[in-house]
Amino acid sequence: MTNEELQIKFKERFPDFAESCIIDKGHIVAEIPLEHMELTLTTLKDDSEFDFKMYMDFTVVDWMERKPRFDLVYHLYSVEKNHRIRIKVGITESQSAPTMSGLWPVADWHEREMFDLYGVKFSGHPNLKRILLYDSFKGHPLRKDYPVTKRQPRIESTFPTRDSQYQEKDLKIHRGD
Amino acid sequence: MEIKEQVRFDPYVPPKLGDNIVDSIVGWGRKYSIFMYPFVTACCGMEYMSVASSHYDIDRFGAGLPRFSPRMADVLMVVGTVNHKLAPILKRIYDQMCEPKWVISFGACASVGGPYDNYAVLQGIDRIIPVDIYIPGCPPRPEAVLDGLMKLHKKIQNQKHELF
Ligand code: SF4
């Protein structure tokens, strides 16, 4: 299915989110509110018209001062029909997103990674704990407010710490708006 | 003094006058029978494989047999990025090796953290274990590794060896 056909189909199927469904640089992007996310993704996977059986990627964007602060970004692909879609879901720090690990088992580790690096919580996840960093790590390093120069070594260094090349005040965070 | 004349066996590090004869002989033996423990964690490993295989052939320098147990090895070769999560494991491997032991830090990452100055990467393994030879480069060319190995030979030849 081409992007245009898919966009029309998406708009018919989900008239509530039709406005947010755009084609951005050859890729369909749709924004969906958190409370409708589970149902929408389930439909996208199970409906034979969409047939998004493959969970390509999942990531999070931290917008720091925007409300809601984070964007969950899902990339889905249909092997049968050869089309893709990107779903964005805004979420605040205190909310928790429904886990997708029941639909796509691979989402389990993706969600653990995003919990590890961004501190986004997922309700219903079977094993939500750190996957990349060590358990004694404090904080979530890919959040924009994590200090760039902060280090959390597990062994006391026997060597004086080198001054980091970057000073925090020089760091400019790119923001879209 | 006559014996001293006879131990001119080394082409590029001849014993100097006043060297301890036992140290020279033991050093000669040890430097040509290096058993390496390759602690390979990242992309530098490719260059390690290149230097270890037939084209560059570290066996010419007596370091041809990697040992995959720290108890059998006497040179710890740290090849690649070491992050904070891995640091206790590296330290433990170093502690498990028997004396005499030497450490080669292979590549920019192992020496100073390389391109990664961030929350995850240890900024040089010399923060946690002593290092004898640093080989710079990202990754170092095999020639640079051989040069580092020859410098290690020199160090082993000229150092004091505790036998008992
Ligand atoms: S020094 Fe360069 S090649 Fe070696 S491990 Fe680091 S990044 Fe990879």
Side-chain angles (χ1 to χ4, degrees):
Chain A
M1 218 188 293
T2 64
N3 277 348
E4 286 72 23
E5 287 166 4
L6 181 63
Q7 191 184 22
I8 292 164
K9 209 153 255 167
F10 186 92
K11 285 184 176 177
E12 279 169 11
R13 190 60 192 262
F14 305 102
D16 294 353
F17 325 127
E19 260 172 46
S20 71
C21 180
I22 53 166
I23 297 187
D24 182 20
K25 302 183 186 73
H27 208 118
I28 296 200
V29 185
E31 282 181 36
I32 287 173
L34 184 64
E35 50 287 8
H36 299 287
M37 170 190 142
E38 194 165 16
L39 197 67
T40 315
L41 286 181
T42 313
T43 316
L44 285 178
K45 186 191 172 194
D46 293 339
D47 192 313
S48 58
E49 280 192 278
F50 296 110
D51 196 40
F52 286 107
K53 289 280 186 290
M54 192 164 162
Y55 182 94
M56 297 275 293
D57 194 17
F58 170 50
T59 185
V60 171
V61 183
D62 180 3
W63 294 102
M64 190 85 164
E65 276 139 24
R66 198 192 71 174
K67 297 244 176 296
R69 178 169 172 181
F70 298 104
D71 259 345
L72 311 180
V73 185
Y74 294 85
H75 289 104
L76 305 177
Y77 176 61
S78 162
V79 184
E80 292 267 308
K81 300 202 161 46
N82 189 22
H83 55 213
R84 299 160 194 272
I85 195 168
R86 180 187 299 146
I87 304 286
K88 287 190 190 175
V89 184
I91 185 174
T92 64
E93 268 170 279
S94 52
Q95 285 174 315
S96 68
T99 176
M100 286 299 126
S101 54
L103 278 182
W104 294 277
V106 66
D108 183 333
W109 282 18
H110 281 259
E111 284 168 4
R112 276 177 69 188
E113 183 185 1
M114 288 308 132
F115 166 73
D116 191 352
L117 302 177
Y118 286 96
V120 178
K121 285 179 239 32
F122 296 91
S123 55
H125 191 284
N127 183 23
L128 193 65
K129 55 178 192 181
R130 289 192 183 277
I131 188 171
L132 295 173
L133 292 163
Y134 32 100
D135 289 335
S136 55
F137 198 91
K138 301 254 176 349
H140 303 283
L142 291 196
R143 283 190 175 195
K144 293 264 191 284
D145 54 4
Y146 186 87
V148 259
T149 49
K150 190 170 172 192
R151 302 286 184 271
Q152 304 189 28
R154 289 171 82 196
I155 303 186
E156 266 319 301
S157 162
T158 51
F159 203 71
T161 312
R162 191 163 48 120
D163 281 340
S164 182
Q165 294 157 351
Y166 307 106
Q167 295 299 321
E168 257 174 79
K169 61 177 169 30
D170 300 335
L171 190 80
K172 293 200 178 55
I173 299 171
H174 170 78
R175 299 200 184 92
D177 40 16
Chain B
M1 264 309 143
E2 294 91 72
I3 303 174
K4 197 142 230 171
E5 286 306 307
Q6 285 168 18
V7 285
R8 291 197 160 278
F9 29 59
D10 191 309
Y12 60 92
V13 193
K16 295 188 297 296
L17 205 70
D19 275 0
N20 183 330
I21 192 82
V22 178
D23 279 349
S24 302
I25 294 173
V26 174
W28 173 79
R30 282 186 174 162
K31 77 180 179 188
Y32 285 134
S33 61
I34 287 175
F35 290 87
M36 281 209 236
Y37 181 92
F39 189 88
V40 180
T41 53
C43 23
C44 268
M46 289 295 151
E47 223 55 34
Y48 173 76
M49 289 168 215
S50 156
V51 76
S53 53
S54 55
H55 195 87
Y56 289 96
D57 193 12
I58 42 174
D59 210 7
R60 293 180 293 157
F61 300 87
L65 279 180
R67 300 275 104 183
F68 295 102
S69 155
R71 296 280 189 212
M72 297 179 187
D74 46 26
V75 170
L76 174 62
M77 194 143 182
V78 185
V79 182
T81 323
V82 178
N83 48 37
H84 288 306
K85 193 176 185 181
L86 197 63
I89 298 161
L90 176 62
K91 175 109 176 100
R92 181 159 182 187
I93 292 222
Y94 177 78
D95 291 342
Q96 281 176 339
M97 286 169 62
C98 304
E99 294 280 355
K101 56 188 172 188
W102 296 273
V103 177
I104 295 181
S105 151
F106 185 120
C109 280
S111 307
V112 292
Y116 313 110
D117 191 1
N118 60 18
Y119 62 92
V121 176
L122 185 67
Q123 300 295 299
I125 56 165
D126 50 9
R127 300 278 169 102
I128 53 169
I129 58 177
V131 177
D132 294 285
I133 302 289
Y134 298 86
I135 303 175
C138 177
R141 281 198 58 84
E143 290 89 339
V145 183
L146 296 180
D147 183 53
L149 205 58
M150 278 152 68
K151 292 212 162 65
L152 182 67
H153 280 180
K154 246 174 225 173
K155 177 162 191 174
I156 297 177
Q157 175 70 67
N158 293 329
Q159 79 176 66
K160 196 150 172 43
H161 291 278
E162 306 274 346
L163 286 186
F164 303 106

